[in-house]
Amino acid sequence: MGIMSFSSEFIHRHGPLTGAVARFAQLLEPKTGPELEAMAQEANRLTRQHFGRTIRMFGPVYLSNECINNCKYCGFSRDNPILRVTLTVDQVETEAKFLANQGFRSILLVAGEHPKFVSEDYLVKCVEKIRPFTPSIGIEVGPMETEGYIPIVKAGAEYLIVFQETYDPVVYEDMHVFGPKKDYAWRMDCPERGYAAGFRRLGIGALFGLAPWREEAIALAMHTQYLLKHCWKALVHVTLPRLRPAAGGFQPRYEFTDRDMTQVICALRICFPQIGITQSTRERPEFRDALMQLGVTTISAASRTEPGGYTGAGRDQLHQTKKGIRGEAIKDVTPDMNAEEQFHIADSRTVPEVVARLREMGLEPVWKDWDQSIQNEEVTLAK
Ligand code: SF4
C-alpha cells in the first residue's frame, strides 16, 4: 500500500500516543482489584449498549495443513514431521455441511500458506461450493495481493482474518525462520489490501506469549485505530489468541495471564466500543463465559483445527512433506491416524452445551449476521 500503509506509519512513528490509543495505554497500567472491577462494569455496559445481549457464532473449516513457512510456534510449520492433507473442494463442502447442520451460518475457511495447494482458484471454488448454504464466509489464509482477493470476494467471501502474530519486528524476525511470512510489512498491510478488494470485515490480532503483552496490546490498538480511520466501511474485529500446545512443542516466551487478558479486553471495549472481539476455543470454558460478559462478541464452538477434523474427510490422502514437497499418500491408514491439528483446543464443549450456557447467562446466539445481498450489491457497485 506504499508509504501511507499502517506498517510504514507504525515502523516510523514518532511522538506520543494519540486518541483512543493514549487512553488504552493508560487503562493497561497496573490496576488494583477495584479498579479492574470498575473497568469490567464499564466494558459490560458498553458491550450491551452496542451489541445487545447477543453473541455471534462462527465455525472454522481447516482446508489444508500444508505450509511453506517455518514459524517456531505453529504445529503446521514446514519442517514439523506431521501428517498433512489438503481437502478437495467436495470434502470442504462435506466439512462445512457438518457445521451447517449444527446451526453455523458463518464459516471461516482456514489454511496454512502453500500457494500450490491453497491457490486463489482453489479458494474461489471452495467459497462457491459452500455459499449456497453459508451466508457469511471468511478466509484466514496466507496473505495475497488485492487482485488475488477480488475473485474470492466476488465468489461470496465477506471477511478476512490475518493476525500479525507479533508487532515487534525483532521478535517477528526471530519467530519466522523461513518462508514468505518473514516479510513483516507485507503481512501488516494485508488487511488494507483485503479492504481494497472489497472485504467488509477485517480481523486482526496478536499471538500473545511471543512478546511482552502490554507492548503487543498497544500496537494492536494502534492498528485498530488505523483501520477504523482508513478502512472506515469495514467492521474491525480483534482477537487475542494465546499460545496453545502444538506440534513442535514451542513454549510461550512471555506470560499473559487471565487477569492480563481480562484487562486488555475491557480496555479494548472501553476505547473502541464499536469493534468486534472474537474468542476461539483456545480458552477454557469458564474463562470464555466470563469474557462474554465483558466484551467478547463473537465465538466459535466445538472447533476442530485439522483438515477433515469434523467428518474424517481426506484421511485417504494423508501424507508427509519434505521441504514443502508432498510425499506419497500413506497406505493402510489406521483409525488413529489423522491430519495434524494446528493447536489443541481448551474448550471442548459441544455446540448444544455452549448454546445452553449462553442462554443460562442471558445471552442469545446469533448464527447469521450478514446478508449476502449486501455483499453482492457492493461488489456490483465496485465494478
Ligand atoms: S502460523 Fe501459519 S504460516 Fe506459520 S507455519 Fe503455521 S500455518 Fe504456516
Side-chain angles (χ1 to χ4, degrees):
M1 296 296 284
I3 59 169
M4 293 306 290
S5 67
F6 178 68
S7 64
S8 54
E9 193 167 288
F10 180 74
I11 292 165
H12 299 116
R13 81 192 137 94
H14 298 287
L17 301 174
T18 57
V21 180
R23 186 169 182 220
F24 182 79
Q26 285 171 356
L27 290 173
L28 290 199
E29 287 171 6
K31 302 290 178 205
T32 64
E35 285 171 337
L36 188 56
E37 175 60 29
M39 282 176 64
Q41 286 185 12
E42 177 67 355
N44 172 268
R45 186 187 68 75
L46 287 166
T47 303
R48 297 297 160 250
Q49 181 185 325
H50 286 266
F51 297 90
R53 301 198 66 82
T54 59
I55 294 288
R56 285 144 183 81
M57 308 290 293
F58 79 98
V61 168
Y62 276 70
L63 310 177
S64 169
N65 59 358
E66 324 267 5
C67 195
I68 51 172
N69 292 300
N70 265 338
C71 306
K72 286 184 180 174
Y73 49 82
C74 179
F76 292 173
S77 227
R78 188 191 76 169
D79 290 343
N80 280 345
I82 59 170
L83 291 176
R84 301 180 190 262
V85 75
T86 300
L87 300 184
T88 65
V89 174
D90 286 342
Q91 288 166 341
V92 171
E93 181 187 35
T94 303
E95 289 274 292
K97 277 192 169 159
F98 178 91
L99 289 180
N101 287 336
Q102 302 222 315
F104 291 99
R105 294 293 176 269
S106 175
I107 289 182
L108 176 63
L109 302 177
V110 188
E113 183 168 356
H114 201 311
K116 185 171 171 202
F117 298 115
V118 183
S119 63
E120 293 160 17
D121 187 47
Y122 168 80
L123 287 166
V124 166
K125 287 183 175 136
C126 290
V127 171
E128 285 172 348
K129 195 74 171 179
I130 70 169
R131 183 179 167 184
F133 57 93
T134 314
S136 171
I137 301 171
I139 61 167
E140 184 176 351
V141 300
M144 297 180 185
E145 299 280 5
T146 298
E147 292 68 32
Y149 286 133
I150 287 172
I152 299 170
V153 171
K154 284 186 177 168
E158 58 97 5
Y159 64 103
L160 173 70
I161 309 285
V162 57
F163 299 154
Q164 187 61 22
E165 320 293 13
T166 173
Y167 286 89
D168 182 325
V170 176
V171 178
Y172 190 94
E173 173 73 16
D174 177 42
M175 287 296 139
H176 300 104
V177 179
F178 177 86
K181 194 168 174 178
K182 275 198 91 62
D183 190 338
Y184 176 93
W186 166 253
R187 189 168 188 86
M188 189 105 98
D189 297 337
C190 183
E192 291 161 76
R193 293 195 301 274
Y195 179 70
F199 285 111
R200 286 297 171 258
R201 269 201 283 169
L202 301 172
I204 59 172
L207 182 55
F208 283 81
L210 299 180
W213 68 268
R214 281 194 176 84
E215 282 89 332
E216 290 287 29
I218 290 168
L220 183 58
M222 290 174 69
H223 200 178
T224 302
Q225 182 167 262
Y226 179 93
L227 292 177
L228 288 172
K229 182 175 173 194
H230 293 270
C231 303
W232 56 272
K233 281 201 267 180
L235 295 170
V236 177
H237 272 246
V238 171
T239 309
L240 310 173
R242 278 195 286 201
L243 277 162
R244 292 284 305 151
F250 182 83
Q251 293 300 313
R253 299 275 168 90
Y254 292 87
E255 200 176 39
F256 183 50
T257 65
D258 287 358
R259 192 183 197 277
D260 301 335
M261 185 184 279
T262 302
Q263 189 172 350
V264 175
I265 286 181
C266 290
L268 279 171
R269 178 56 66 227
I270 292 167
C271 298
F272 304 99
Q274 71 278 48
I275 64 167
I277 301 179
T278 303
Q279 187 67 253
S280 77
T281 50
R282 284 176 183 262
E283 300 299 335
R284 305 178 324 280
E286 59 281 9
F287 188 46
R288 291 221 305 162
D289 294 348
L291 294 178
M292 280 184 253
Q293 302 289 7
L294 302 181
V296 166
T297 57
T298 308
I299 64 165
S300 53
S303 302
R304 301 299 301 243
T305 69
E306 73 272 36
Y310 299 110
T311 66
R315 290 181 71 244
D316 58 327
Q317 287 299 315
L318 291 178
H319 59 268
Q320 291 198 316
T321 57
K322 200 159 191 183
K323 295 195 172 172
I325 298 170
R326 186 188 193 283
E328 288 293 308
I330 294 171
K331 297 186 180 75
D332 304 325
V333 173
T334 55
D336 59 330
M337 290 170 78
N338 289 299
E340 184 69 29
E341 58 188 2
Q342 190 174 34
F343 56 85
H344 301 309
I345 64 169
D347 183 351
S348 56
R349 289 177 295 184
T350 64
V351 173
E353 285 169 344
V354 170
V355 168
R357 182 68 187 119
L358 286 177
R359 294 201 168 120
E360 256 176 47
M361 294 191 295
L363 298 171
E364 192 57 33
V366 173
W367 301 95
K368 175 196 166 191
D369 65 344
W370 178 259
D371 190 327
Q372 194 67 53
S373 63
I374 299 171
Q375 180 83 352
N376 293 343
E377 193 176 315
E378 290 197 347
V379 170
T380 308
L381 289 172
K383 276 181 188 166

